[in-house]
Amino acid sequence: MDSNQPQQRQPARSGGPGEPPFRPLSRRTFLGRAGAAGAALAVAGPILAACGTTNSSGGGSSKPSGNRKKIGFSQPDTSASIWAPLMAGAKLECKARGYELLESHANSQLDAQLSEIQTWIAEGVGAIIALPLDNNAIVPLIHQAHKAGIKFLDYSDNALPGVDGWVIFDNLQGAKLVGDYAGQWVNKNLGGNAQVGLLTHQIQLTGKQRIDGCVSALQSVAPGAKVVAQHEGVLSPDTFPAFQSMLQAHPGIDVAICIADEGCDGVLRAFEATHPSAQRTKDMFICGFDGSGPTIKAIESGGPIRATGALDAIAIGRASIEASVNCIEGKQPKKINFPYVLSDISTTAANAKLLQDLNG
C-alpha cells in the first residue's frame, strides 16, 4: 500500500440540498442473523450530471454499444478470498444486464492498478468502479475518465471526489456489531480486562471506520480493554510479522482486531508460533471483517478466531455492476450502502448461507 495518506471524506448518509435522503431497499440473496434486522440496501437520491455515453437520448436512459458495454472493476486485492465471490456476483449481473466485465489483475500493486484503469479509459469503456489503493493517485484518472465520457464509481468508500456513484458498506454499523461482541466476550471470558492489538489500514476510510468504531464499541462494553499496540497490515503476509512483533513487545495481548479477514490467518499463525498453552489459546480473541470463507470456517472450529463482520460478497458484486450500469444508462440506484451481519460460533444458519454463497 502507498504510504501517502489521502484526504478522506465521510460517506454521505443523506442527500445534499434538494436531494432525497437514503431510503432502504430489501437485499437480495442474504440470510440475516435473527435480530439483525435492517439488512437492507440504502440508496441515495439524485441523478448526477451525465458524462456523455454513446447513443445518449437527452432526458431518457441511454443504450450504449461497443466498448461502452464494458465495465472495469478495479478491485485490486486479487489474492483475497473475497475477490472470487465478488467477481462471481459481478459476472452474474453483467450477464443479466448485457455487459462485459473487465477484472483487475493488479494484485494489490498501485502501479498495476493505475495502469489497468488507464488502459480501460483508453479503450473507452462504459464505466469503471474502483477500490483505490491510493485515493490521491486515482483522482486524476477520474477526470480523465469523465473527459472520455466514462462513468467512474467508488467501491468500499465514498471518499473519491466527483464520482458518479458508489457501492459502500455501513462500516460504523458493522464495527459496532463486532465491537459489542468482542466486549461481551472480554467481560465473560477475561474478567473485563484485555490487552488489545490492532491490525489496521488507516489510509482508507473503510479501514479507519472499522477499526475506530470497533475499538469504541469494545471499550464501551468492556472499559478494561486497553489498546497496547497497532500496526498497518491487511493481508496475512503483512499481519504475520506485524503481530509477531506485537507479541514480542506485549506478550499478554489477548484481543486482536484485524481490519479484514485476510489478516486473521497471519495473526493466528503468529500467535500459534508462541506455542501457547491450552488456557492461553482459550483466552485468545481474534476478529476481522468481510466474512471470508476461511474465517467463517475457523470461527466454527471454536479456535481463537471468534467473529467477523460479514458482508454478502456475491450480492455486493452484483450491486457494483447494477450501480455502474445505472450510471451509464441514467437509471437508479447509483449509490448503494450495504449493512453487515455478525458471524460467530452461534450464528450457524447465517454461517451456512454465507459459505454456500461463497462456494457458489
Side-chain angles (χ1 to χ4, degrees):
M1 297 294 176
D2 193 278
S3 60
N4 297 322
Q5 184 163 344
Q7 294 298 112
Q8 303 283 17
R9 300 185 302 162
Q10 296 292 322
R13 297 299 175 188
S14 61
E19 300 179 5
F22 280 87
R23 57 185 174 84
L25 298 176
S26 60
R27 274 182 80 180
R28 294 176 301 215
T29 67
F30 194 82
L31 175 62
R33 152 177 205 205
L41 295 178
V43 179
I47 297 177
L48 301 177
C51 295
T53 57
T54 59
N55 296 333
S56 180
S57 58
S61 62
S62 58
K63 295 297 182 183
S65 60
N67 280 350
R68 294 295 201 221
K69 298 284 286 185
K70 298 178 180 180
I71 296 172
F73 197 161
S74 183
Q75 209 292 20
D77 295 328
T78 50
S79 63
S81 61
I82 195 174
W83 191 85
L86 187 71
M87 292 303 115
K91 289 176 183 177
L92 288 171
E93 191 67 18
C94 273
K95 183 177 180 180
R97 300 291 291 266
Y99 282 74
E100 179 183 344
L101 177 68
L102 303 178
E103 300 176 4
S104 174
H105 301 280
N107 197 28
S108 302
Q109 300 299 311
L110 177 61
D111 287 346
Q113 181 180 43
L114 299 179
S115 177
E116 283 181 342
I117 294 175
Q118 288 167 340
T119 298
W120 294 338
I121 292 173
E123 291 178 359
V125 301
I128 297 167
I129 181 167
L131 171 65
L133 292 173
D134 183 304
N135 286 5
N136 288 337
I138 296 293
V139 170
L141 299 184
I142 300 174
H143 300 318
Q144 291 180 28
H146 284 164
K147 287 180 180 178
I150 298 168
K151 303 297 185 180
F152 207 104
L153 296 89
D154 204 349
Y155 174 83
S156 178
D157 286 352
N158 172 25
L160 295 174
V163 292
D164 302 288
W166 61 70
V167 174
I168 59 176
F169 317 134
D170 195 345
N171 297 312
L172 296 179
Q173 172 260 346
K176 189 174 188 308
L177 278 180
V178 177
D180 283 349
Y181 181 81
Q184 294 162 9
W185 197 93
V186 167
N187 287 339
K188 180 180 178 180
N189 296 279
L190 302 178
N193 297 307
Q195 294 185 40
V196 182
L198 306 177
L199 286 305
T200 64
H201 186 43
Q202 296 294 88
I203 194 172
Q204 189 194 21
L205 184 60
T206 289
K208 182 174 178 59
Q209 288 184 331
R210 283 178 174 182
I211 292 295
D212 293 355
C214 189
V215 171
S216 177
L218 163 64
Q219 292 179 333
S220 292
V221 176
K226 306 298 182 184
V227 175
V228 298
Q230 178 173 332
H231 196 283
E232 290 284 280
V234 179
L235 305 179
S236 288
D238 301 316
T239 60
F240 174 69
F243 200 62
Q244 278 187 317
S245 298
M246 286 186 186
L247 288 173
Q248 289 171 1
H250 304 278
I253 289 177
D254 40 20
V255 172
I257 301 172
C258 299
I259 173 56
D261 284 351
E262 295 303 320
C264 290
D265 178 67
V267 168
L268 178 62
R269 287 189 293 111
F271 172 68
E272 289 176 339
T274 66
H275 306 290
S277 66
Q279 185 61 48
R280 172 84 168 122
T281 299
K282 183 179 178 181
D283 290 343
M284 189 66 187
F285 182 99
I286 302 169
C287 65
F289 291 88
D290 288 328
S292 73
T295 295
I296 293 172
K297 290 177 182 178
I299 289 169
E300 293 196 319
S301 75
I305 299 177
R306 311 284 179 184
T308 181
L311 293 164
D312 185 342
I314 292 178
I316 292 171
R318 298 198 70 148
S320 297
I321 300 305
E322 177 186 11
S324 299
V325 171
N326 287 346
C327 283
I328 295 169
E329 298 183 356
K331 299 177 180 178
Q332 296 289 353
K334 300 175 182 177
K335 301 173 182 179
I336 299 175
N337 185 15
F338 272 83
Y340 293 75
V341 296
L342 181 71
S343 172
D344 64 54
I345 198 168
S346 71
T347 59
T348 53
N351 295 348
K353 182 63 169 64
L354 287 164
L355 289 173
Q356 179 184 348
D357 288 345
L358 288 169
N359 293 330

